[in-house]
Amino acid sequence: MPKVTEDVYHIPGQDELMPDSHTYVLGKLSSQNLSLIDPGLVGKGSYKIQSIQKAGIELSAIKRIIMTHTHLDHIGCLAEIQKQLPWAELWVHRLEGELLEQGDERAVYGMDMFRGFCQEHFGLKPGAFKFQVNRKLDGGETLDFGDTVWEIIHIPGHSLGSIGLYHRSMKILIPGDVVYADYAIGRFDLYGADASELKKTLIGLAELEVDILLPGHNQIVKGIPKGYILKTAKQWESYLS
Ligand SMILES: [Zn+2]
Ligand SMILES: [Zn+2]
């Protein structure tokens, strides 16, 4: 499992018929207070857990699971991961956390057609994604976990409760599915998505100094050019209003 920096591990998504999100593990190993970001697609739990163990990380050091958002390709194997880490808390943005607690799966599947297909393909029952959330995030929190400090930013547009994690001194941004490498952005046609919100989000993120972009899919980028997010926003502007 590649290390991005001393305190950030990256477990690449294993895409198949459907994408599997990247998983990140944040925090200093010595702290025994690590955070796992985005489990991934249904069926990928054991791959992710084995990758963590192969990196020499003790599972007991992982204290919480944080979701950038609750689409199926990120939350699909949450239950599998929770079985291995029953002590880990679940932290999600309030807007999607409340849906999860109610067993409202609109934000998981995004659209009815996709729900039908996935339930059939993976043998998922209605209500498979009802979870108790330990901490509902609002955005604006500064969290000191694992001896590293991350800011939580609410970045709606791709989904209602998308959050980004930002490490200000290392200039690392984990934007979920909001912005990717190669000037790509997340889709904005699913439940809870909003093109004009996504535009506002991108323009807001463009204010941040970012060196390392760790998106939910595809390439991770170290040393992204200055103004990358703003340029991305501009390229998509006409589609986002
Ligand atoms: Zn995704
Ligand atoms: Zn998504």
Side-chain angles (χ1 to χ4, degrees), residues 69-75 92 95-100 103-111 114-115 129 158-162 190-193:
H69 63 301
T70 59
H71 282 158
L72 186 73
D73 54 323
H74 298 246
I75 201 172
V92 185
L95 293 174
E96 291 180 31
E98 281 168 2
L99 294 175
L100 286 186
D104 182 332
E105 298 178 322
R106 282 176 296 173
V108 173
Y109 294 109
M111 62 167 84
F114 191 61
R115 177 204 306 262
F129 294 99
H158 171 69
S159 76
L160 280 174
S162 283
L190 298 172
Y191 169 79

Side-chain angles (χ1 to χ4, degrees), residues 19-22 38 68-69 71-74 158 176-177 180 216-217:
D20 168 33
S21 77
H22 295 321
D38 284 355
T68 62
H69 63 301
H71 282 158
L72 186 73
D73 54 323
H74 298 246
H158 171 69
D177 282 356
Y180 306 111
H217 304 279

Side-chain angles (χ1 to χ4, degrees), residues 69 71 73-74 155-159 162 175-190 192-199 201-202 205 213 215-218 228-229 232-233 236 239-240:
H69 63 301
H71 282 158
D73 54 323
H74 298 246
I155 47 172
H158 171 69
S159 76
S162 283
D177 282 356
V178 165
V179 57
Y180 306 111
D182 301 323
Y183 302 99
I185 60 172
R187 57 192 290 180
F188 43 89
D189 59 332
L190 298 172
D194 183 312
S196 64
E197 286 288 323
L198 184 54
K199 182 170 151 184
T201 281
L202 288 167
L205 289 178
L213 183 71
H217 304 279
N218 304 326
Y228 173 83
I229 296 176
T232 305
W236 285 93
Y239 297 93
L240 296 178

